Amino acid sequence: MLLSKSCLYGVRAAMYMATLEQSEYVTIQQISEKLNISFHFLTKILQTLTENNIMVSYRGPKGGVALAKPSKDIRLIEIVDAIDGTHIFSECIFGLPGCGNMTPCPLHGEWEREREKIRRMFSDTTLAMLADKINVFNLRISDTDSAPINAKLLKSLTITHRKRK
Amino acid sequence: MLLSKSCLYGVRAAMYMATLEQSEYVTIQQISEKLNISFHFLTKILQTLTENNIMVSYRGPKGGVALAKPSKDIRLIEIVDAIDGTHIFSECIFGLPGCGNMTPCPLHGEWEREREKIRRMFSDTTLAMLADKINVFNLRISDTDSAPINAKLLKSLTITHRKRK
DNA sequence: AGCATTTCAGACTCTTTTATCTTAAAATAA
DNA sequence: TTATTTTAAGATAAAAGAGTCTGAAATGCT
Ligand code: SF4
Ligand code: SF4
């Protein structure tokens, strides 16, 4: 797995919050239920996200967590960085320590190109972009979420396309 | 880490054996010393490689392990498959179970393209290709291997290139 | 035959990751 | 103030991954 479970949970929680796009606080309880993640575990993960100024939290009734910035200003890589660290995107494919361009391993060239693309994929994607896609196409975020792809929309798109011929 | 440690060790051991390109058995002891990997641990890893017909082994004096096929016929992905399994190359980036094209996650398109490239990178590369590079440029395989890049060769190449102007 | 060498097989330990639980602290509302 | 809601913090437990150890089985050498 490229990303740790903790990181995945953090990303999915952030994605979920972005789809709500409301200014109120959301309780971790609600998020954990919606995404089917252990409440206590998610709590700890979101703690590190608030420590890293990606989210803000508020205690007491009507409290919870919220995104610290508009979702269009939060990039996937920030979340990954906070939880797993960005070394993932600069790591040697063979796990050799102290690796660099001076003593490259045989696959260095290709791997460097690929991991850079992956890194860019994470740094180019904002939460808003993901939330849009999720809302428009009704994509799933959770593993138990029963929400299938928006069948009606998909069908209409297909038909429209066919009629054009 | 994309590949597990066990897998990394297995790959490096195979690479090392390919650079020798000799028909005799090599003892696991020797490999473990050369690559600075725990002997017993490496033994277990290479056992699974022999189970998967990537290596052959022989017990007793003059025994050891050897590549089951010419190194040009062994592809990196075979080793990864034997130890970590190829699910790595078809895994959802968000770790959602039962993921597929019917209910794609927001990053599906891009990720599928990238992971396919990585998969191809592993299935296109043979041990012989790696061994050649290692031998020609004196690249390192081990983390304690003091062998730096072949400085003389590098220098001559640079100078030649410069003189062409 | 007896001995040294070497992989094989499996149990065992240590470490890291993942997950749970318990208590505290903060904020709010009544 | 007091009860309630909610995150904070940290201890603990379970699971997975990484690494170690021991004895057995096979093989070649003398
Ligand atoms: S030189 Fe090789 S081992 Fe080092 S980071 Fe590049 S690809 Fe990885
Ligand atoms: S649909 Fe999304 S989650 Fe599923 S495999 Fe593709 S990228 Fe991964």
Side-chain angles (χ1 to χ4, degrees), chain B residues 27-28 44 47 57 59-61 64:
Chain B
T27 68
I28 299 177
K44 203 184 311 191
Q47 257 171 45
S57 65
R59 291 197 258 199

Side-chain angles (χ1 to χ4, degrees), chain B residues 37-72:
Chain B
I37 300 170
S38 150
F39 165 71
H40 290 287
F41 193 30
L42 186 58
T43 291
K44 203 184 311 191
I45 294 164
L46 296 193
Q47 257 171 45
T48 75
L49 288 185
T50 63
E51 279 166 15
N52 286 77
N53 303 309
I54 291 163
M55 297 183 179
V56 290
S57 65
Y58 211 78
R59 291 197 258 199
K62 287 280 182 181
V65 289
L67 296 176
K69 298 181 281 187
S71 62
K72 71 170 170 44

Side-chain angles (χ1 to χ4, degrees), chain A residues 140, chain B residues 91-94 96 99-100 103-105 107-108 111 115:
Chain A
R140 65 170 190 191
Chain B
E91 215 173 32
C92 160
I93 199 170
F94 291 130
L96 295 172
C99 167
T103 55
C105 81
L107 282 179
H108 182 76
W111 175 241
R115 77 183 182 195

Side-chain angles (χ1 to χ4, degrees), chain A residues 95-97, chain B residues 12 34-36 140-146:
Chain A
L96 294 171
Chain B
R12 275 160 59 190
K34 197 76 183 178
L35 302 188
N36 195 38
R140 65 172 190 189
I141 261 181
S142 157
D143 47 356
T144 55
D145 210 350
S146 59

Side-chain angles (χ1 to χ4, degrees), chain A residues 41-112:
Chain A
F41 194 32
L42 185 58
T43 290
K44 203 178 302 189
I45 294 164
L46 296 194
Q47 254 171 50
T48 75
L49 288 186
T50 63
E51 278 166 16
N52 286 77
N53 303 311
I54 291 164
M55 295 184 180
V56 289
S57 67
Y58 212 77
R59 293 197 257 199
K62 285 282 181 178
V65 289
L67 297 176
K69 298 182 280 186
S71 62
K72 73 172 170 42
D73 295 332
I74 300 179
R75 287 159 192 284
L76 224 40
I77 201 168
E78 296 176 58
I79 300 170
V80 173
D81 187 18
I83 299 174
D84 275 356
T86 40
H87 62 90
I88 302 175
F89 303 113
S90 57
E91 215 173 33
C92 161
I93 199 168
F94 290 129
L96 294 171
C99 166
N101 287 357
M102 285 315 292
T103 56
C105 81
L107 282 180
H108 182 77
E110 288 191 82
W111 175 242
E112 190 168 42

